[in-house]
Amino acid sequence: MNTKNGTILLAAGGTGGHIYPAHALRKVLKSRGWNVIFITDQRGLNFRISDENIEIYRINSASLSGSLSDKLIGIFKLIFGLVQSFTLIKRFKPAAVVGFGGYPSVPTMVAATLIGCPTMIHEQNAVLGRANRLVARRVNRIATAFSAVSGIKQKYKSKVTLTGNPSRPDLVNSRQHELKKPFTILVIGGSQGASILSKIVPGAVCALPPDLRKNLIINQQCRPEDLQRVQNAYNANGITSTLSTFFQDIPKLMSEANLVISRAGASTIAELTIVGRASILIPYASAMDDHQTANAKNIADNGGAWMIPQAELTVDVLCERLISCLTSPSLLSDVGNKASKCGSPDAAIKLAESVEEIAAISRERIG
């Protein structure tokens, strides 16, 4: 492995949707000899992305939403974060700076463009996020997870490169296509679970004909306040279930599932398409710019999932869909294969190559 003796800065908001892709890119860049540094906010510092020793720095940031006083406080935090970012960039002299969205990425990306560092943003969703929108005109390149991303102005389309959404490396190793018995359903709802799934899924499962539900296995993520109620429902109907507020082994559970019921966050879509699993997607109705609907529609339009808008999700609607899945293994296999065709298991490598291409700009300047 050749040592590049250079530094790449990764700026990401402190949620899993931003942190996981950045971490996947970090692992590839490290394997190629780059020194990689994270810049995030307090949430990012607390996010458990790895047991590895990661060099990470916190800066101030805030969204510009809320009351007038909230917006004024947000402006001051962003200005302070901009000063902190200037200091870090001057200190580390990065060959490139990559932003993964979320407001904590904005000060770093603005500072990098003002200094003249090669820059790139990565958009995980099918709608350009607000933080990325703020800096899209200033960066050298825009990497996307989807082939069609709304919110990117026509004049910036020449900057766009399709890489896919980098995901956890262990997911690629979990890629399986053989559907196993007993029939297993994985229910996940984002980092904190989804109350609507805890209300509707148990009712739909328990409404299945006895011959269909008797051999089911349910692995379901729930909010703490929903755990006991959901467990009681499954127990009363003799359904084998494992419930948790957070699953550590999502790649294993997803690869073992015949069907996944989930929200439609970018990381979940990437995981489903990498593993190649059929899914029923219920987009989070209040997601920023309704990006989860755009994410779900992208894969559903390609035959790799079923999408049910939250407003249309009822026990009867979900039960009917479950019956069709349980009684048609070939249908599940077909949908899973189509989901797999939407995936990008080499997304982290593609993104790393794109980063190295823009990093060459700074090397040419030095040379």
Side-chain angles (χ1 to χ4, degrees), residues 199-237:
K199 292 176 183 177
I200 300 296
V201 175
V205 170
C206 294
L208 290 168
D211 62 317
L212 290 182
R213 71 169 185 256
K214 65 180 179 180
N215 292 320
L216 276 181
I217 294 177
I218 307 292
N219 296 312
Q220 182 164 349
Q221 180 191 15
C222 301
R223 290 178 179 270
E225 61 269 26
D226 296 327
L227 275 171
Q228 193 58 57
R229 174 176 55 80
V230 175
Q231 189 69 73
N232 290 342
Y234 289 138
N235 289 346
N237 287 272

Side-chain angles (χ1 to χ4, degrees), residues 136-335:
R137 69 182 183 87
R138 308 180 65 95
V139 299
N140 298 104
R141 191 167 296 182
I142 302 171
T144 64
F146 293 93
S147 57
V149 177
S150 64
I152 301 177
K153 294 181 178 180
Q154 185 62 40
K155 60 184 176 182
Y156 303 143
K157 292 290 180 69
S158 61
K159 299 180 181 183
V160 174
T161 180
L162 175 63
T163 61
N165 193 13
S167 195
R168 291 172 283 192
D170 47 357
L171 277 164
V172 178
N173 299 327
S174 299
R175 198 176 177 94
Q176 296 180 6
H177 295 287
E178 181 183 354
L179 300 176
K180 299 179 179 180
K181 294 182 179 181
F183 196 100
T184 302
I185 300 175
L186 173 64
V187 186
I188 48 179
S191 59
Q192 296 180 325
S195 290
I196 186 68
L197 298 185
S198 293
K199 292 176 183 177
I200 300 296
V201 175
V205 170
C206 294
L208 290 168
D211 62 317
L212 290 182
R213 71 169 185 256
K214 65 180 179 180
N215 292 320
L216 276 181
I217 294 177
I218 307 292
N219 296 312
Q220 182 164 349
Q221 180 191 15
C222 301
R223 290 178 179 270
E225 61 269 26
D226 296 327
L227 275 171
Q228 193 58 57
R229 174 176 55 80
V230 175
Q231 189 69 73
N232 290 342
Y234 289 138
N235 289 346
N237 287 272
I239 296 168
T240 302
S241 63
T242 299
L243 310 182
S244 178
T245 57
F246 183 79
F247 287 117
Q248 295 280 2
D249 53 348
I250 286 294
K252 181 175 183 294
L253 291 173
M254 195 172 282
S255 69
E256 293 175 349
N258 298 72
L259 177 69
V260 179
I261 302 173
S262 177
R263 289 299 199 186
S267 293
T268 298
I269 296 293
E271 291 166 354
L272 286 168
T273 57
I274 289 173
V275 176
R277 277 293 173 262
S279 61
I280 300 171
L281 301 174
I282 297 93
Y284 177 47
S286 300
M288 189 75 71
D289 299 319
D290 200 20
H291 68 259
Q292 287 205 8
T293 295
N295 293 348
K297 192 173 185 301
N298 185 285
I299 184 173
D301 285 350
N302 284 284
W306 296 279
M307 181 180 78
I308 304 177
Q310 184 167 313
E312 300 175 15
L313 182 67
T314 65
V315 168
D316 290 341
V317 167
L318 183 58
C319 184
E320 183 178 349
R321 174 56 62 194
L322 289 176
I323 290 173
S324 68
C325 291
L326 284 160
T327 56
S328 181
S330 62
L331 174 63
L332 279 181
S333 180
D334 180 60
V335 173

